[in-house]
Amino acid sequence: LVLGVGFWMGTHPTEEPLYGVMQAKTVDVAAKVTGRVETLPVHEGDTVSAGQLLMTLDIPEVEAKLKEVEALKSAATARQSLVDEGARPQEIRAAKAQMQRAQAGQELAQKTFNRVHALYREGLISKQKHDEALAQKKSADELLAAAKEQYDIALTGARTQEKQAATALTAQATGGVEQVESLVKEKNVTSPIASEISRIYVEIGEVAAAGLPLATLVDLSDQWAVFNIREDDMPKITKGAVLSAEIPALNAKNVQFKVYFINPRGDYATWRATRQSSEIGRTFEVRARPVQPVSDLRPGMSVIVNR
C-alpha cells in the first residue's frame, strides 16, 4: 500500500499554487512651473480628498508676469474704448460749427456770383469781375464739401478696420492674462483624486522642478492582483474566471478574485520552456480584482491561489 501510494504521488505531483501581488492605481503629482515649496500641510500616509491642497509653491516670476499682462490688457481695453467711443463731443461741435461757417460762406459766394453774373450779362461789369466771383463761388463750394466731410468723420468715429484691430488686440491681451493666471493657479498643488499619500519627494524650501513628481498618490479603492503564469498553467485561467485566493497578511482565506485582464509578457524577459523537451512556455500576466471589497487590503500584499 505504501509503495502504491508513493508511486501514485510520484506520477501525480501536487500542483504549485499561483502567487500574485496586490497592486493599486498610483498617480504622480507634478507642477507645470518651477517654484520653491512654501507650505506642505500634508504628510505621507495621510488620506486626502479630490481637490485637497497638498502644497503651495512660491513663483515670483509668474506673479510679476501677471502684472505685466494685466497692464497690457488695461491699455488694450482703453484703446478699444477710445475707438468705439469715437470723437469727443467738443470735436463734433467744432466740426459742425466749421461746416456751418463754410455753408454761410458758400451761400454768400453764391448770392454774390448771381448778382455779378446778372450785371455781366447786362454788360455793366468786366469779365474779370465775373471770373473772380465765379472763382470765389467754386472755392466756397469746395470748403463746404470739405467741412461736411470732417463733420461726417467726427460723427462716424473710427474706421471699421481700426475697430477690428482694437478688438483683436483686446482679445490677445485677455488671452495672455488667462494664460498667466492658469500658471499662477499652479502654485497651489492639489490632489486630483481621493487617495492616500504614498510618497512626498520634496521638503519646505526646496525647489520643485516643473514636470517632476512632487508626490505619489495611491487609490486604495482601485486594487488588483497580478499573477505571472506560465502557459502550461493557463488552461483553467480565462477572462471572467473567479479564483479563490488566500491573503496571508490579512489571514484571509477564500477571497474571491475575478480575472479581467490577460496579456503575454515580453519574450526577452520571461520566456522559458514549459518542459525541457518542449519549445513552448510563454509567461502571461493575469490581473484579477476582488469580487467584494477587502478591508485593510494594501498594495504589495501576497495573494496565493491554491489549485
Side-chain angles (χ1 to χ4, degrees), residues 31 33-37 57-61 206-210:
V33 292
T34 299
R36 190 177 299 277
V37 179
L57 305 178
D58 181 26
I59 316 174
E61 299 86 357
E206 292 183 351
V207 174

Side-chain angles (χ1 to χ4, degrees), residues 120-156:
Y120 175 72
R121 290 177 63 183
E122 296 292 334
L124 299 177
I125 61 175
S126 65
K127 189 176 186 304
Q128 176 67 28
K129 294 293 184 180
H130 178 271
D131 292 344
E132 289 177 357
L134 179 60
Q136 290 177 355
K137 173 187 173 299
K138 291 181 178 179
S139 176
D141 291 340
E142 292 176 356
L143 288 175
L144 177 60
K148 286 183 177 179
E149 292 292 337
Q150 291 296 327
Y151 181 59
D152 291 339
I153 290 174
L155 289 177
T156 304

Side-chain angles (χ1 to χ4, degrees), residues 18-92:
L18 301 178
Y19 295 94
V21 178
M22 292 301 303
Q23 294 186 5
K25 182 173 70 174
T26 59
V27 177
D28 288 331
V29 180
K32 291 183 180 179
V33 292
T34 299
R36 190 177 299 277
V37 179
E38 189 173 32
T39 64
L40 190 59
V42 295
H43 304 84
E44 293 179 347
D46 289 353
T47 300
V48 295
S49 57
Q52 182 174 337
L53 180 67
L54 300 180
M55 63 188 71
T56 57
L57 305 178
D58 181 26
I59 316 174
E61 299 86 357
V62 176
E63 294 176 353
K65 185 66 176 179
L66 179 60
K67 294 180 180 179
E68 178 184 348
V69 295
E70 285 178 342
L72 292 175
K73 180 183 177 181
S74 298
T77 302
R79 172 66 179 173
Q80 183 176 9
S81 177
L82 179 64
V83 171
D84 293 338
E85 184 178 351
R88 290 175 291 183
Q90 297 88 338
E91 294 174 338
I92 296 176

